[in-house]
Amino acid sequence: MSQEVSQDMSQPTESALQGLMMDVPLLTSMIMKHAIAWHGDVEVVTHRVEGDMHRYTYADAYKRICRLARALEGLGLMPGDRVGTMAWTTHRHVELYFAIGGTGHVVHTVNPRLFPDQITYIVNHADDRVIFLDTTFVPLMEDLQDRCPNVKCFVILCDSGAMPETSLRGAKCYEDLLQAAGEGDYDWPQFDEKTAAALCYTSGTTGNPKGVLYSHRSMTLHTMSACTGDHPLGLTSRTVILPAVSMFHVHGWGVPYAAPMSGAKMVLPGPHMEGPDLCRLLDEEKVNYTAGVPTVWIGVLEHLEKTGGKLPYLKIMNIGGSAPPLAMIKAFEEDYGVPVVHAWGMTEMSPVGTTGRLRARHAELEGEDMYRVKLTQGRPIFGIEVKIVDDAGKALPHDGEAVGQMYVRGPWVAAAYFNDAAATEAAFDADGWFGTGDVASITPDGLVRISDRSKDLIKSGGEWISSIDLENHAMAHPDVVEAAAIAIPHPKWEERPLLIVVRREGSDVGAREIRNVMADRVVKWWLPDDVVFVDEIPHTATGKISKKDLRQQFADYRWPDI
Ligand code: AMP
C-alpha cells in the first residue's frame, strides 16, 4: 500500500532530553473503557430506524461493544481491514465505531447519499471486507453488491427475527451476531496509536472521492479537544447532546467519541431529522446542547414557528458545515433565547477547526456588533494552525482585509489522502500544510471569515454538489452547447444549483428535457432547480467559464417558486 505523506512532522529535529512519562498509546478503546468506569449509568437514547425509542446506558453499550468485538473475530478480518458502515445516527452505529476501531480494524463510514457510482468507487477503493447496513439501505446495496466483489458479507442492523428478505451476499442479522458472540469483557488489543481507526471519503470536488484515514491518536486528540471549554462542542458530564449530524458525515462531528469521553448523555435521532422529530427529542430528553448544519435548523425553526413551540432546555446551538444566515442566528438567539456557536471544519480536519465561542473581549458586545463576530467562522481551536496565502503562496497579513487561500495544519489534520498520490500532491504545499480550498480573511482579532470556496461547489443541505459534474451531464443533451452551474442561495437548502445554458442555434429545447437527460446520470437532489437560457456564457482569459462573472450576472436571481 503506497501512502504519500507530504511531510513527516512527527520526528524531532534534534535529539533532546527525553521526558520520563508513561508512553500510553492513545486508542479509541480508552474512551469507552473510561465511560463505563466513571459514567456507566449515563444514558444513550436513540430514535430507532424502526420508529420506536431505544434507551440504554454506557455500561449496556460497552457489553454489546465487547460482544461485537468478539463477533468481528469470527468474520475472518485481518488487522487493518476496512469494515464499511452504511447507517444512521444510532446506538448500533456507535457500537460499530468502537468495536471496529478498538479491535484494530478501520471503520469506514459510507455516505449512502452519494451517487451509486461513487458508492461502489469508495467501497472498492477502501477495499471494505464486510459492510454493516441499516435496513433502509438494503435495496441500494443489493443493486450494487455485484460491483463490490471483495465485500465478503453484509450484516443488517435489525432485530432478531426481523431480517428482511434479501439477496445480499452472506447476509447476517446484527442482533443474532451479537447474541451468538457471548458475554463478558473483551481484552482490547494495545497497538501503535498511529494505527488507522476510521476512514471517511470526501466528495467535495469533481473526480473520485478522496479518503481521509484517521488514526487512533488523531481521533483521541480531536475528542479530547472537543471536551475543552471553548471548543464549539465543549462537552461535559452535565451535557445532554443531540447531534443532528449524520454519523456518515465525518463521524458525526466527533460527538459519538466526545460524549462517552466526557460522560455526556447522548440523544441520537436515527434517520428522523425533520423539524417535528427533532423538536420532540429536544424537549422530551431535555437536551441542552445540539449541533448540525443550517438546513436542519431551518426545519426546526419552521416547526417552532408553526406550533408556537419553545426550546426551554437548550443552552447552546452549534451550527457549522455551511455558513448560517444572520436571520437564523438572530431567530435562535432573540426568539428562543439559545446562543449560537458557529464553527468551521472539514472532513480532512476530523472535522473541527474553529470555534465561535465568544472571548472575554467579545462577550460584552451587543446587537449588530455581536452578530458581526458570530457571523465569522470564529477562531482556530488549540492544535489547529491557520494561514492565508496569495496565489504565489506568500503568507498574507491577518488584517481583516487581505483575502487568500486558507491552509491548515495540526495533529488531527490529514497528512495525505488514502492511496491517492495525485490528490495528495494537489492538496498540500511544500511545507506540508493542507490547502482547504476555502478562501478567507483573518481579522487582527483572530477571527476567520470564509468568503468563498475556490472550487465553486454547491452545498445543498450540508451535502456537496459538483457544479462541474452537473455541467458535464447537462452537456450530454445534444442541444446544449454550453452549460454552467452556480450556487444560488436557497431558504431551505442553503444553496441549490441554477443551470445556465446556451442552446444550439435553432433549438427550442426546454428545461424539462435537459433535466430528464441529467436524471439518468445524477441523484435526484443534484438536479438543478431551474434552468435559464442565455445567448452567451462569460469566459476568463484562459477560456474557462467565468463563475465570478456569472454570479454577478445572477446576483438578483430569485427561485421561481419562492
Ligand atoms: P466537508 O468536508 O464536507 O465537511 O466540507 C468542508 C467545507 O464546508 C469547508 O471547506 C467549507 O467550504 C464548508 N464549511 C464548513 N463549515 C463552514 C462554515 N461554518 N462556514 C462556511 N463554510 C463552511
Side-chain angles (χ1 to χ4, degrees):
M1 186 192 306
S2 83
Q3 216 38 197
E4 289 283 315
V5 177
S6 47
Q7 194 198 26
D8 186 358
M9 285 181 275
S10 63
Q11 300 306 316
T13 44
E14 56 190 53
S15 63
L17 181 64
Q18 296 284 293
L20 288 172
M21 306 307 284
M22 291 187 188
D23 194 7
V24 177
L26 299 173
L27 303 178
T28 58
S29 53
M30 286 171 81
I31 298 174
M32 218 10 118
K33 282 198 279 187
H34 174 80
I36 58 135
W38 309 107
H39 307 288
D41 59 335
V42 174
E43 276 189 315
V44 179
V45 181
T46 302
H47 189 178
R48 295 206 314 158
V49 178
E50 291 84 344
D52 56 346
M53 297 300 295
H54 174 274
R55 55 180 73 233
Y56 68 177
T57 62
Y58 283 126
D60 300 325
Y62 182 74
K63 284 185 198 144
R64 284 166 56 86
I65 291 167
C66 290
R67 281 178 180 270
L68 182 53
R70 261 189 297 280
L72 289 172
E73 282 175 8
L75 295 180
L77 296 164
M78 301 297 288
D81 271 354
R82 270 73 67 202
V83 177
T85 63
M86 208 183 242
W88 299 108
T89 304
T90 70
H91 64 293
R92 285 174 174 147
H93 207 173
V94 173
E95 292 162 5
L96 287 162
Y97 273 25
F98 283 99
I100 296 170
T103 48
H105 305 110
V106 179
V107 56
H108 169 209
T109 49
V110 181
N111 182 345
R113 293 200 185 121
L114 295 177
F115 197 58
D117 283 350
Q118 291 176 311
I119 294 176
T120 45
Y121 172 83
I122 66 173
V123 167
N124 289 328
H125 187 269
D127 200 16
D128 290 336
R129 292 309 162 110
V130 176
I131 293 185
F132 288 76
L133 70 168
D134 272 322
T135 48
T136 328
F137 308 117
V138 168
L140 175 65
M141 279 320 294
E142 282 176 342
D143 286 349
L144 301 183
Q145 63 173 337
D146 289 346
R147 292 159 64 191
C148 307
N150 289 351
V151 179
K152 289 186 298 192
C153 73
F154 293 87
V155 182
I156 301 177
L157 299 167
C158 66
D159 293 340
S160 193
M163 270 289 271
E165 282 261 319
T166 179
S167 62
L168 281 175
R169 214 159 34 239
K172 298 182 199 328
C173 164
Y174 182 73
E175 292 298 334
D176 289 349
L177 198 69
L178 256 59
Q179 196 54 37
E183 271 184 300
D185 203 354
Y186 188 77
D187 190 11
W188 296 98
Q190 294 293 296
F191 41 76
D192 183 344
E193 64 183 14
K194 290 185 185 164
T195 303
L199 176 64
C200 284
Y201 281 74
T202 170
S203 56
T205 52
T206 49
N208 290 324
K210 295 168 289 184
V212 181
L213 190 60
Y214 310 91
S215 67
H216 282 263
R217 173 187 150 84
S218 71
M219 203 70 105
T220 309
L221 290 173
H222 182 262
T223 309
M224 290 170 74
S225 167
C227 301
T228 58
D230 257 1
H231 189 278
L233 291 178
L235 299 191
T236 72
S237 56
R238 293 164 301 285
T239 308
V240 180
I241 174 126
L242 187 158
V245 182
S246 299
M247 283 175 69
F248 49 77
H249 267 167
V250 221
H251 24 88
W253 295 0
V255 172
Y257 294 103
M261 181 182 276
S262 60
K265 172 177 164 181
M266 231 184 332
V267 181
L268 305 174
H272 314 284
M273 298 274 281
E274 296 296 319
D277 285 316
L278 290 178
C279 287
R280 183 183 63 78
L281 277 187
L282 291 171
D283 220 36
E284 285 180 8
E285 299 301 326
K286 299 190 170 48
V287 171
N288 56 24
Y289 191 99
T290 187
V293 297
T295 305
V296 168
W297 305 128
I298 289 171
V300 165
L301 280 176
E302 271 173 8
H303 180 71
L304 291 171
E305 275 157 32
K306 220 182 289 164
T307 58
K310 294 271 171 262
L311 298 169
Y313 304 106
L314 215 47
K315 298 273 180 294
I316 294 268
M317 163 153 299
N318 174 205
I319 310 185
S322 291
L326 178 59
M328 172 179 289
I329 301 179
K330 280 187 172 174
F332 280 117
E333 299 234 349
E334 295 175 10
D335 302 344
Y336 299 97
V338 182
V340 168
V341 173
H342 181 185
W344 165 89
M346 300 184 75
T347 307
E348 289 88 338
M349 299 176 71
S350 300
V352 182
T354 64
T355 177
R357 298 248 186 198
L358 296 182
R359 277 180 287 191
R361 80 176 78 156
H362 294 137
E364 280 165 20
L365 293 177
E366 285 180 359
E368 297 308 314
D369 290 338
M370 179 191 68
Y371 289 126
R372 248 192 297 283
V373 172
K374 291 211 168 190
L375 270 175
T376 72
Q377 279 66 21
R379 64 203 143 97
I381 52 176
F382 170 77
I384 296 296
E385 288 178 85
V386 171
K387 67 176 179 183
I388 45 172
V389 300
D390 65 14
D391 288 346
K394 195 168 133 280
L396 294 168
H398 297 180
D399 58 7
E401 300 290 327
V403 174
Q405 294 283 342
M406 185 151 71
Y407 281 76
V408 293
R409 68 176 180 186
W412 51 84
V413 178
Y417 288 110
F418 181 53
N419 282 344
D420 196 336
T424 297
E425 174 76 30
F428 295 84
D429 75 7
D431 298 323
W433 290 68
F434 169 68
T436 63
D438 287 332
V439 174
S441 60
I442 302 177
T443 68
D445 255 2
L447 296 169
V448 173
R449 189 184 299 117
I450 309 244
S451 52
D452 205 353
R453 295 177 208 122
S454 52
K455 296 194 179 78
D456 302 314
L457 290 157
I458 301 158
K459 200 161 200 185
S460 171
E463 301 267 356
W464 290 116
I465 298 175
S466 158
S467 59
I468 297 170
D469 276 0
L470 284 187
E471 290 154 16
N472 287 343
H473 294 311
M475 302 272 287
H477 193 289
D479 282 352
V480 174
V481 174
E482 194 167 30
I486 58 168
I488 297 283
H490 189 281
K492 175 158 167 85
W493 301 108
E494 303 292 316
E495 292 176 346
R496 290 292 303 154
L498 171 71
L499 190 72
I500 300 146
V501 166
V502 179
R503 273 191 282 234
R504 193 163 301 288
E505 216 179 309
S507 161
D508 60 357
V509 65
R512 185 192 300 257
E513 293 120 277
I514 296 172
R515 280 168 50 97
N516 283 348
V517 166
M518 298 174 79
D520 291 333
R521 296 169 168 79
V522 298
V523 274
K524 204 161 148 236
W525 60 269
W526 270 42
L527 290 174
D529 286 19
D530 196 8
V531 182
V532 294
F533 296 93
V534 293
D535 291 335
E536 204 183 325
I537 284 178
H539 291 88
T540 64
T542 51
K544 295 189 186 117
I545 291 174
S546 173
K547 294 280 173 77
K548 196 167 140 246
D549 290 345
L550 274 178
R551 273 194 287 266
Q552 264 168 16
Q553 197 176 323
F554 286 89
D556 297 328
Y557 174 86
R558 295 287 172 270
W559 295 113
D561 296 331
I562 293 163

